[in-house]
Short mmCIF file of all heavy atoms in Angstrom, two decimals:
data_model
loop_
_atom_site.label_atom_id
_atom_site.label_comp_id
_atom_site.label_asym_id
_atom_site.label_seq_id
_atom_site.Cartn_x
_atom_site.Cartn_y
_atom_site.Cartn_z
N ASP A 59 -4.26 16.28 1.58
CA ASP A 59 -4.91 16.77 0.33
C ASP A 59 -5.75 17.83 0.45
O ASP A 59 -6.57 18.24 -0.44
CB ASP A 59 -5.70 15.54 -0.25
CG ASP A 59 -6.73 15.03 0.77
OD1 ASP A 59 -6.72 15.44 1.86
OD2 ASP A 59 -7.50 14.15 0.37
N SER A 60 -5.70 18.64 1.55
CA SER A 60 -6.68 19.75 1.81
C SER A 60 -6.43 20.84 0.76
O SER A 60 -7.41 21.66 0.51
CB SER A 60 -6.52 20.28 3.22
OG SER A 60 -5.17 20.71 3.39
N HIS A 61 -5.20 21.03 0.22
CA HIS A 61 -4.95 22.11 -0.70
C HIS A 61 -4.81 21.57 -2.17
O HIS A 61 -4.50 22.36 -3.05
CB HIS A 61 -3.72 22.83 -0.33
CG HIS A 61 -2.47 21.92 -0.31
ND1 HIS A 61 -2.28 20.93 0.63
CD2 HIS A 61 -1.37 21.88 -1.11
CE1 HIS A 61 -1.12 20.35 0.35
NE2 HIS A 61 -0.53 20.82 -0.63
N HIS A 62 -5.09 20.24 -2.29
CA HIS A 62 -5.08 19.72 -3.72
C HIS A 62 -6.29 20.25 -4.52
O HIS A 62 -7.38 20.25 -4.12
CB HIS A 62 -5.13 18.25 -3.69
CG HIS A 62 -3.81 17.65 -3.26
ND1 HIS A 62 -3.52 16.24 -3.10
CD2 HIS A 62 -2.61 18.24 -2.86
CE1 HIS A 62 -2.35 16.06 -2.69
NE2 HIS A 62 -1.77 17.25 -2.51
N ARG A 63 -5.90 20.67 -5.75
CA ARG A 63 -6.96 20.98 -6.72
C ARG A 63 -7.29 19.78 -7.62
O ARG A 63 -6.65 18.77 -7.54
CB ARG A 63 -6.40 22.19 -7.59
CG ARG A 63 -6.02 23.45 -6.85
CD ARG A 63 -5.28 24.41 -7.73
NE ARG A 63 -4.03 23.81 -8.13
CZ ARG A 63 -3.14 24.31 -8.99
NH1 ARG A 63 -3.45 25.38 -9.57
NH2 ARG A 63 -2.06 23.70 -9.33
N ALA A 64 -8.32 20.04 -8.43
CA ALA A 64 -8.78 18.90 -9.33
C ALA A 64 -7.61 18.37 -10.21
O ALA A 64 -7.48 17.19 -10.44
CB ALA A 64 -9.90 19.40 -10.17
N VAL A 65 -6.81 19.27 -10.66
CA VAL A 65 -5.66 18.83 -11.59
C VAL A 65 -4.68 17.99 -10.76
O VAL A 65 -4.08 17.02 -11.34
CB VAL A 65 -5.02 20.12 -12.21
CG1 VAL A 65 -4.34 21.00 -11.20
CG2 VAL A 65 -3.99 19.64 -13.28
N ASP A 66 -4.47 18.35 -9.50
CA ASP A 66 -3.60 17.58 -8.65
C ASP A 66 -4.09 16.17 -8.44
O ASP A 66 -3.42 15.28 -8.54
CB ASP A 66 -3.33 18.32 -7.23
CG ASP A 66 -2.78 19.67 -7.42
OD1 ASP A 66 -1.76 19.79 -8.17
OD2 ASP A 66 -3.28 20.64 -6.67
N ILE A 67 -5.35 16.17 -8.06
CA ILE A 67 -6.03 14.81 -7.87
C ILE A 67 -5.93 13.96 -9.09
O ILE A 67 -5.58 12.75 -9.11
CB ILE A 67 -7.48 14.97 -7.44
CG1 ILE A 67 -7.50 15.75 -6.07
CG2 ILE A 67 -8.18 13.62 -7.32
CD1 ILE A 67 -8.86 16.08 -5.62
N THR A 68 -6.25 14.59 -10.22
CA THR A 68 -6.21 13.86 -11.56
C THR A 68 -4.82 13.25 -11.94
O THR A 68 -4.76 12.04 -12.16
CB THR A 68 -6.62 14.70 -12.71
OG1 THR A 68 -7.97 15.20 -12.45
CG2 THR A 68 -6.59 13.98 -14.07
N PHE A 69 -3.77 14.06 -11.80
CA PHE A 69 -2.50 13.57 -12.22
C PHE A 69 -1.83 12.71 -11.21
O PHE A 69 -1.03 11.81 -11.52
CB PHE A 69 -1.60 14.74 -12.63
CG PHE A 69 -1.92 15.31 -13.98
CD1 PHE A 69 -2.73 16.45 -14.07
CD2 PHE A 69 -1.46 14.67 -15.18
CE1 PHE A 69 -3.05 17.02 -15.39
CE2 PHE A 69 -1.79 15.16 -16.39
CZ PHE A 69 -2.61 16.31 -16.52
N LEU A 70 -2.14 12.97 -9.92
CA LEU A 70 -1.61 11.98 -8.89
C LEU A 70 -2.24 10.65 -9.01
O LEU A 70 -1.58 9.59 -8.82
CB LEU A 70 -1.79 12.61 -7.50
CG LEU A 70 -0.80 13.74 -7.14
CD1 LEU A 70 -1.19 14.48 -5.85
CD2 LEU A 70 0.64 13.28 -7.04
N SER A 71 -3.56 10.69 -9.22
CA SER A 71 -4.26 9.40 -9.50
C SER A 71 -3.69 8.65 -10.72
O SER A 71 -3.50 7.46 -10.67
CB SER A 71 -5.74 9.61 -9.67
OG SER A 71 -6.32 10.19 -8.49
N LEU A 72 -3.43 9.45 -11.75
CA LEU A 72 -2.75 8.80 -12.97
C LEU A 72 -1.46 8.23 -12.73
O LEU A 72 -1.06 7.21 -13.24
CB LEU A 72 -2.80 9.81 -14.11
CG LEU A 72 -4.05 10.19 -14.78
CD1 LEU A 72 -3.88 11.33 -15.76
CD2 LEU A 72 -4.70 8.93 -15.45
N ALA A 73 -0.66 8.93 -11.83
CA ALA A 73 0.62 8.41 -11.44
C ALA A 73 0.57 7.10 -10.77
O ALA A 73 1.30 6.14 -11.10
CB ALA A 73 1.35 9.36 -10.51
N PHE A 74 -0.41 6.85 -9.90
CA PHE A 74 -0.55 5.55 -9.23
C PHE A 74 -1.31 4.58 -10.18
O PHE A 74 -1.06 3.42 -10.11
CB PHE A 74 -1.34 5.75 -7.94
CG PHE A 74 -0.57 6.36 -6.91
CD1 PHE A 74 -0.83 7.65 -6.38
CD2 PHE A 74 0.50 5.64 -6.22
CE1 PHE A 74 -0.07 8.26 -5.43
CE2 PHE A 74 1.15 6.18 -5.16
CZ PHE A 74 0.93 7.49 -4.80
N GLY A 75 -2.15 5.10 -11.08
CA GLY A 75 -2.66 4.29 -12.14
C GLY A 75 -1.57 3.68 -12.98
O GLY A 75 -1.81 2.61 -13.53
N LEU A 76 -0.49 4.36 -13.21
CA LEU A 76 0.57 3.89 -13.97
C LEU A 76 1.14 2.64 -13.32
O LEU A 76 1.62 1.63 -14.15
CB LEU A 76 1.66 4.99 -14.19
CG LEU A 76 2.90 4.55 -15.01
CD1 LEU A 76 2.57 4.24 -16.41
CD2 LEU A 76 3.96 5.72 -14.91
N VAL A 77 1.23 2.58 -12.04
CA VAL A 77 1.69 1.35 -11.35
C VAL A 77 0.83 0.16 -11.72
O VAL A 77 1.30 -0.90 -12.05
CB VAL A 77 1.70 1.60 -9.81
CG1 VAL A 77 2.09 0.28 -9.09
CG2 VAL A 77 2.61 2.62 -9.47
N SER A 78 -0.48 0.46 -11.75
CA SER A 78 -1.46 -0.60 -12.10
C SER A 78 -1.31 -1.07 -13.57
O SER A 78 -1.28 -2.28 -13.88
CB SER A 78 -2.90 -0.17 -11.90
OG SER A 78 -3.84 -1.12 -12.14
N LYS A 79 -1.06 -0.12 -14.41
CA LYS A 79 -0.92 -0.38 -15.84
C LYS A 79 0.39 -1.20 -16.07
O LYS A 79 0.37 -2.21 -16.84
CB LYS A 79 -0.74 0.87 -16.57
CG LYS A 79 -0.37 0.84 -18.05
CD LYS A 79 -1.56 0.12 -18.91
CE LYS A 79 -1.18 0.13 -20.34
NZ LYS A 79 -2.19 -0.50 -21.19
N ILE A 80 1.40 -0.86 -15.33
CA ILE A 80 2.70 -1.60 -15.51
C ILE A 80 2.44 -3.08 -14.94
O ILE A 80 2.95 -4.07 -15.57
CB ILE A 80 3.83 -0.95 -14.71
CG1 ILE A 80 4.14 0.31 -15.41
CG2 ILE A 80 5.06 -1.86 -14.63
CD1 ILE A 80 5.15 1.19 -14.65
N ALA A 81 1.81 -3.18 -13.77
CA ALA A 81 1.54 -4.58 -13.28
C ALA A 81 0.68 -5.40 -14.24
O ALA A 81 1.03 -6.58 -14.41
CB ALA A 81 0.78 -4.36 -11.91
N ILE A 82 -0.25 -4.75 -14.84
CA ILE A 82 -1.11 -5.51 -15.83
C ILE A 82 -0.26 -5.93 -16.94
O ILE A 82 -0.39 -7.12 -17.41
CB ILE A 82 -2.29 -4.59 -16.28
CG1 ILE A 82 -3.34 -4.50 -15.11
CG2 ILE A 82 -3.01 -5.33 -17.44
CD1 ILE A 82 -4.50 -3.54 -15.38
N GLY A 83 0.54 -5.11 -17.47
CA GLY A 83 1.48 -5.46 -18.59
C GLY A 83 2.37 -6.55 -18.25
O GLY A 83 2.69 -7.45 -19.11
N LEU A 84 3.00 -6.56 -16.99
CA LEU A 84 3.92 -7.53 -16.62
C LEU A 84 3.31 -8.89 -16.50
O LEU A 84 3.89 -9.94 -16.65
CB LEU A 84 4.67 -7.21 -15.34
CG LEU A 84 5.60 -5.94 -15.43
CD1 LEU A 84 6.10 -5.63 -14.05
CD2 LEU A 84 6.72 -6.28 -16.32
N MET A 85 1.97 -8.82 -16.14
CA MET A 85 1.24 -10.13 -15.96
C MET A 85 0.64 -10.69 -17.22
O MET A 85 0.10 -11.76 -17.18
CB MET A 85 0.16 -10.00 -14.87
CG MET A 85 0.65 -9.78 -13.48
SD MET A 85 -0.68 -9.62 -12.28
CE MET A 85 -1.44 -8.14 -12.75
N ALA A 86 0.69 -9.97 -18.28
CA ALA A 86 0.17 -10.48 -19.53
C ALA A 86 0.74 -11.83 -20.00
O ALA A 86 1.99 -11.96 -20.02
CB ALA A 86 0.41 -9.47 -20.70
N GLY A 87 -0.06 -12.78 -20.17
CA GLY A 87 0.41 -14.09 -20.55
C GLY A 87 0.54 -15.03 -19.40
O GLY A 87 0.71 -16.30 -19.61
N TYR A 88 0.53 -14.46 -18.20
CA TYR A 88 0.77 -15.31 -16.99
C TYR A 88 -0.65 -15.77 -16.43
O TYR A 88 -0.73 -16.80 -15.82
CB TYR A 88 1.55 -14.66 -15.90
CG TYR A 88 3.06 -14.54 -16.31
CD1 TYR A 88 3.48 -13.34 -16.90
CD2 TYR A 88 3.92 -15.56 -16.06
CE1 TYR A 88 4.81 -13.11 -17.21
CE2 TYR A 88 5.26 -15.39 -16.47
CZ TYR A 88 5.75 -14.20 -17.00
OH TYR A 88 7.02 -14.08 -17.44
N PHE A 89 -1.61 -14.86 -16.55
CA PHE A 89 -2.92 -15.13 -16.02
C PHE A 89 -3.95 -15.00 -17.17
O PHE A 89 -3.87 -14.04 -17.93
CB PHE A 89 -3.26 -14.16 -14.91
CG PHE A 89 -2.45 -14.32 -13.71
CD1 PHE A 89 -1.47 -13.37 -13.48
CD2 PHE A 89 -2.59 -15.27 -12.73
CE1 PHE A 89 -0.63 -13.47 -12.35
CE2 PHE A 89 -1.80 -15.43 -11.59
CZ PHE A 89 -0.80 -14.48 -11.45
N ASN A 90 -4.82 -15.96 -17.21
CA ASN A 90 -5.85 -15.90 -18.30
C ASN A 90 -7.20 -15.39 -17.78
O ASN A 90 -8.10 -15.07 -18.53
CB ASN A 90 -6.10 -17.39 -18.76
CG ASN A 90 -4.84 -17.92 -19.49
OD1 ASN A 90 -4.16 -17.13 -20.23
ND2 ASN A 90 -4.58 -19.17 -19.28
N HIS A 91 -7.24 -15.08 -16.47
CA HIS A 91 -8.39 -14.60 -15.86
C HIS A 91 -8.28 -13.08 -15.60
O HIS A 91 -7.37 -12.70 -14.86
CB HIS A 91 -8.78 -15.35 -14.58
CG HIS A 91 -10.20 -15.26 -14.24
ND1 HIS A 91 -10.77 -14.09 -13.92
CD2 HIS A 91 -11.12 -16.19 -14.12
CE1 HIS A 91 -12.08 -14.28 -13.61
NE2 HIS A 91 -12.29 -15.62 -13.66
N ASP A 92 -9.12 -12.27 -16.23
CA ASP A 92 -9.00 -10.89 -16.17
C ASP A 92 -9.10 -10.36 -14.68
O ASP A 92 -8.52 -9.39 -14.32
CB ASP A 92 -10.10 -10.21 -16.99
CG ASP A 92 -9.72 -10.33 -18.50
OD1 ASP A 92 -8.58 -10.64 -18.82
OD2 ASP A 92 -10.66 -10.12 -19.31
N TYR A 93 -9.98 -10.98 -13.95
CA TYR A 93 -10.29 -10.50 -12.62
C TYR A 93 -9.07 -10.81 -11.68
O TYR A 93 -8.77 -9.98 -10.78
CB TYR A 93 -11.60 -11.17 -12.01
CG TYR A 93 -12.81 -10.74 -12.71
CD1 TYR A 93 -13.45 -11.57 -13.60
CD2 TYR A 93 -13.29 -9.47 -12.61
CE1 TYR A 93 -14.61 -11.18 -14.33
CE2 TYR A 93 -14.46 -8.99 -13.25
CZ TYR A 93 -15.11 -9.87 -14.16
OH TYR A 93 -16.20 -9.50 -14.81
N VAL A 94 -8.38 -11.83 -11.87
CA VAL A 94 -7.17 -12.07 -11.15
C VAL A 94 -6.10 -11.04 -11.47
O VAL A 94 -5.46 -10.54 -10.54
CB VAL A 94 -6.55 -13.46 -11.44
CG1 VAL A 94 -5.24 -13.69 -10.77
CG2 VAL A 94 -7.56 -14.58 -11.02
N THR A 95 -6.05 -10.66 -12.70
CA THR A 95 -5.08 -9.60 -13.09
C THR A 95 -5.42 -8.36 -12.45
O THR A 95 -4.50 -7.55 -11.91
CB THR A 95 -5.06 -9.45 -14.59
OG1 THR A 95 -4.73 -10.73 -15.29
CG2 THR A 95 -4.07 -8.40 -15.07
N VAL A 96 -6.68 -8.03 -12.42
CA VAL A 96 -7.14 -6.76 -11.80
C VAL A 96 -6.79 -6.68 -10.37
O VAL A 96 -6.32 -5.67 -9.80
CB VAL A 96 -8.63 -6.51 -12.09
CG1 VAL A 96 -9.16 -5.48 -11.16
CG2 VAL A 96 -8.89 -6.23 -13.54
N LEU A 97 -7.07 -7.82 -9.61
CA LEU A 97 -6.81 -7.84 -8.16
C LEU A 97 -5.34 -7.67 -7.84
O LEU A 97 -4.94 -7.02 -6.93
CB LEU A 97 -7.32 -9.18 -7.63
CG LEU A 97 -8.95 -9.26 -7.60
CD1 LEU A 97 -9.31 -10.62 -7.05
CD2 LEU A 97 -9.57 -8.18 -6.60
N VAL A 98 -4.53 -8.42 -8.62
CA VAL A 98 -3.00 -8.28 -8.42
C VAL A 98 -2.56 -6.84 -8.75
O VAL A 98 -1.79 -6.29 -8.00
CB VAL A 98 -2.24 -9.32 -9.38
CG1 VAL A 98 -0.78 -9.15 -9.24
CG2 VAL A 98 -2.67 -10.70 -8.91
N ALA A 99 -3.10 -6.31 -9.80
CA ALA A 99 -2.73 -4.86 -10.14
C ALA A 99 -3.13 -3.93 -9.07
O ALA A 99 -2.33 -2.97 -8.60
CB ALA A 99 -3.28 -4.47 -11.44
N LEU A 100 -4.37 -4.13 -8.53
CA LEU A 100 -4.76 -3.28 -7.37
C LEU A 100 -3.87 -3.50 -6.14
O LEU A 100 -3.56 -2.47 -5.50
CB LEU A 100 -6.27 -3.59 -7.04
CG LEU A 100 -6.91 -2.99 -5.82
CD1 LEU A 100 -6.91 -1.47 -6.00
CD2 LEU A 100 -8.27 -3.52 -5.59
N PHE A 101 -3.56 -4.69 -5.90
CA PHE A 101 -2.64 -4.97 -4.71
C PHE A 101 -1.30 -4.24 -4.88
O PHE A 101 -0.82 -3.61 -3.91
CB PHE A 101 -2.41 -6.46 -4.59
CG PHE A 101 -1.48 -6.80 -3.48
CD1 PHE A 101 -1.74 -6.72 -2.17
CD2 PHE A 101 -0.16 -7.17 -3.83
CE1 PHE A 101 -0.88 -7.07 -1.16
CE2 PHE A 101 0.78 -7.48 -2.94
CZ PHE A 101 0.41 -7.46 -1.48
N CYS A 102 -0.79 -4.32 -6.06
CA CYS A 102 0.49 -3.67 -6.41
C CYS A 102 0.48 -2.09 -6.19
O CYS A 102 1.35 -1.47 -5.73
CB CYS A 102 0.94 -3.95 -7.82
SG CYS A 102 1.46 -5.64 -8.06
N THR A 103 -0.71 -1.49 -6.63
CA THR A 103 -0.92 -0.08 -6.53
C THR A 103 -1.06 0.32 -5.01
O THR A 103 -0.40 1.30 -4.57
CB THR A 103 -2.18 0.30 -7.28
OG1 THR A 103 -2.08 -0.16 -8.72
CG2 THR A 103 -2.35 1.82 -7.28
N ILE A 104 -1.73 -0.52 -4.20
CA ILE A 104 -1.95 -0.24 -2.82
C ILE A 104 -0.62 -0.34 -2.15
O ILE A 104 -0.21 0.52 -1.30
CB ILE A 104 -3.01 -1.15 -2.24
CG1 ILE A 104 -4.36 -0.87 -2.75
CG2 ILE A 104 -2.96 -1.11 -0.65
CD1 ILE A 104 -5.35 -1.82 -2.28
N LEU A 105 0.24 -1.27 -2.56
CA LEU A 105 1.54 -1.53 -1.97
C LEU A 105 2.45 -0.32 -2.22
O LEU A 105 3.12 0.22 -1.41
CB LEU A 105 2.12 -2.74 -2.50
CG LEU A 105 3.34 -3.40 -1.71
CD1 LEU A 105 2.97 -3.80 -0.30
CD2 LEU A 105 3.97 -4.55 -2.45
N ALA A 106 2.38 0.18 -3.47
CA ALA A 106 3.22 1.30 -3.88
C ALA A 106 2.77 2.54 -3.18
O ALA A 106 3.62 3.35 -2.72
CB ALA A 106 3.11 1.45 -5.37
#
Side-chain angles (χ1 to χ4, degrees):
D59 56 354
S60 59
H61 60 292
H62 285 180
R63 298 168 296 172
V65 65
D66 299 316
I67 298 172
T68 299
F69 282 99
L70 286 170
S71 296
L72 287 175
F74 286 107
L76 180 61
V77 176
S78 181
K79 174 67 174 177
I80 293 173
I82 290 174
L84 292 175
M85 287 185 294
Y88 290 96
F89 295 102
N90 294 323
H91 202 296
D92 290 341
Y93 293 108
V94 174
T95 303
V96 167
L97 289 175
V98 174
L100 175 60
F101 174 78
C102 291
T103 306
I104 291 173
L105 195 65

